[in-house]
Amino acid sequence: MNVLKFLSVFAIFAIFVVVVNANGLDIDYYKYSCPKVEEISKRITEQYVGHVPNLAPGLLRMHFHDCIVRGCDASVLLDPTPSNNQTEKDTVPNSTLRGFEVINAIKGALEKECPGVVSCADVLSLAARDAIVTINGPYWHVPLGRKDGIISLASEALANIPSPFANISTLKQNFAAVGLTSKDLVVLSGTICIYLFAHTIGIGHCFIIQGRLYNFTGKGDTDPKLSPSYASWLKTMCPKVTGDRKSFVSMDRITPRVFDEKYFTMVTQRRGLFESDAALLEDSETKTYIETQVYTQGATFAKDFAESATKMSMIGVLTGSLGHVRKTCGVVKY
């Protein structure tokens, strides 16, 4: 390794250490209190995702929806209270979240191994990473030490989770509000379908695109930003049915079970499933990134994704006495 390359790598590592320490997180946080935490998360996540690969984008989506509201504090996992208070789970953006059973299985195993030590927020962060790695996606280090929150409000989820109907200005504002850049926006959009999830490896529910296909401007028309041939195919997969919340369509028709950059190719071909996909071409910065990934066949996509996923996992974390370690991820009990 030449001197300049060494210094570059060292600088990146040093910045990572400073950022992690600034957030009160540490890769070795459980080195003595629960040394098998990553081993247990990896083993259980592989078991579930190995049988049902689509759980990978589901867990990544859940992680994003958690972090974008109140930070990465596992508030998205909390069930409604006996007094019928609505939590983040009760909202339309979270109505199709998948993977709770994976989180509960990991948490249960950790409670047996080291009771009251590992937070649900850390479990979710690890499971999202391990799920992507299981389907041959990139690996990234997950700094640990997050604590769990005890507040979960449906109103906050509705206000903060980016909409699949959002324009590029709104999307950039949504991401900037939590410290993510335009590059993070386009990188994560390639894997985190901003509402129903994981463009490059997941599925989208038809009820979200009904209006785009059949009544875009209220005149029984189709969104002109969609490729006509793609729109016709979508209509065969998503018939005009009122109230259908079960039908779905693959977001990536090219390589639907592979973690890759083909989502960007689809966007340039006007085959992005959501309006928010098309919006990425309306900004010079996000458009340039997409075109670069298409031209280079995703030369930097895995690295860029790992960097953005790491940043996302540190949004608004609670550490030390600011949070708790819930014994059960669905209830406030610690």
Side-chain angles (χ1 to χ4, degrees):
M1 180 183 291
N2 62 45
V3 175
L4 287 177
K5 187 174 182 180
F6 172 78
L7 291 174
S8 176
V9 172
F10 179 78
I12 293 173
F13 177 75
I15 292 171
F16 176 75
V17 171
V18 169
V19 170
V20 169
N21 288 341
N23 281 279
L25 303 179
D26 188 338
I27 291 174
D28 294 323
Y29 185 83
Y30 297 112
K31 183 175 182 179
Y32 301 107
S33 59
C34 193
K36 292 184 179 180
V37 58
E38 295 211 37
E39 175 188 328
I40 290 172
S41 173
K42 180 176 183 290
R43 172 174 54 81
I44 294 176
T45 302
E46 286 180 346
Q47 289 174 353
Y48 278 90
V49 175
H51 286 92
V52 186
N54 272 332
L55 280 174
L59 287 164
L60 185 62
R61 176 191 175 206
M62 187 189 296
H63 185 34
F64 175 74
H65 281 213
D66 179 48
C67 294
I68 205 75
V69 182
R70 287 188 167 267
C72 307
D73 66 347
S75 57
V76 74
L77 303 176
L78 286 170
D79 296 321
T81 63
S83 58
N84 293 320
N85 289 333
Q86 288 191 318
T87 63
E88 293 169 36
K89 272 187 178 182
D90 297 316
T91 60
V92 172
N94 290 329
S95 64
T96 53
L97 285 181
R98 304 174 66 230
F100 292 105
E101 69 274 25
V102 184
I103 303 303
N104 291 336
I106 297 171
K107 177 63 173 176
L110 289 171
E111 283 299 305
K112 292 180 180 178
E113 177 71 21
C114 38
V117 173
V118 182
S119 68
C120 297
D122 275 346
V123 169
L124 181 51
S125 297
L126 285 170
R129 187 275 309 277
D130 293 339
I132 295 302
V133 173
T134 299
I135 57 171
N136 299 316
Y139 176 92
W140 64 93
H141 291 290
V142 177
L144 301 168
R146 297 165 190 76
K147 294 297 176 66
D148 299 325
I150 59 174
I151 298 173
S152 182
L153 302 174
S155 58
E156 292 184 345
L158 288 171
N160 291 285
I161 295 175
S163 166
F165 313 111
N167 60 38
I168 190 62
S169 296
T170 299
L171 290 173
K172 291 177 74 170
Q173 290 171 6
N174 288 152
F175 275 65
V178 292
L180 297 177
T181 66
S182 296
K183 181 180 178 181
D184 296 322
L185 162 62
V186 68
V187 170
L188 293 173
S189 291
T191 41
I192 299 177
C193 153
I194 297 180
Y195 187 84
L196 294 172
F197 242 64
H199 284 103
T200 189
I201 45 176
I203 59 175
H205 289 262
C206 290
F207 75 91
I208 294 299
I209 60 171
Q210 286 282 328
R212 194 179 190 202
L213 292 178
Y214 298 106
N215 198 27
F216 187 64
T217 64
K219 299 178 180 180
D221 55 343
T222 300
D223 184 353
K225 292 179 182 178
L226 274 174
S227 158
S229 60
Y230 183 56
S232 296
W233 178 78
L234 286 175
K235 289 178 180 179
T236 66
M237 301 300 293
C238 298
K240 190 177 181 181
V241 179
T242 303
D244 177 14
R245 289 180 172 264
K246 294 183 179 180
S247 298
F248 58 84
V249 60
S250 173
M251 294 184 183
D252 176 358
R253 293 183 64 191
I254 304 173
T255 52
R257 292 182 178 273
V258 180
F259 186 101
D260 59 20
E261 82 292 345
K262 294 300 187 291
Y263 159 73
F264 299 122
T265 297
M266 293 186 66
V267 170
T268 60
Q269 295 173 345
R270 296 165 59 201
R271 292 170 180 257
L273 195 61
F274 302 123
E275 291 173 54
S276 55
D277 296 326
L280 296 175
L281 294 177
E282 298 171 4
D283 176 82
S284 60
E285 190 173 6
T286 55
K287 181 180 180 180
T288 298
Y289 182 86
I290 289 173
E291 292 177 339
T292 299
Q293 293 307 311
V294 173
Y295 179 75
T296 63
Q297 296 185 323
T300 66
F301 178 53
K303 176 184 71 70
D304 294 342
F305 174 77
E307 292 173 355
S308 293
T310 301
K311 287 176 64 177
M312 181 185 76
S313 75
M314 294 190 286
I315 295 172
V317 295
L318 301 175
T319 57
S321 61
L322 295 178
H324 307 272
V325 174
R326 302 201 300 262
K327 291 184 178 180
T328 303
C329 292
V331 298
V332 178
K333 185 177 181 180
Y334 46 86

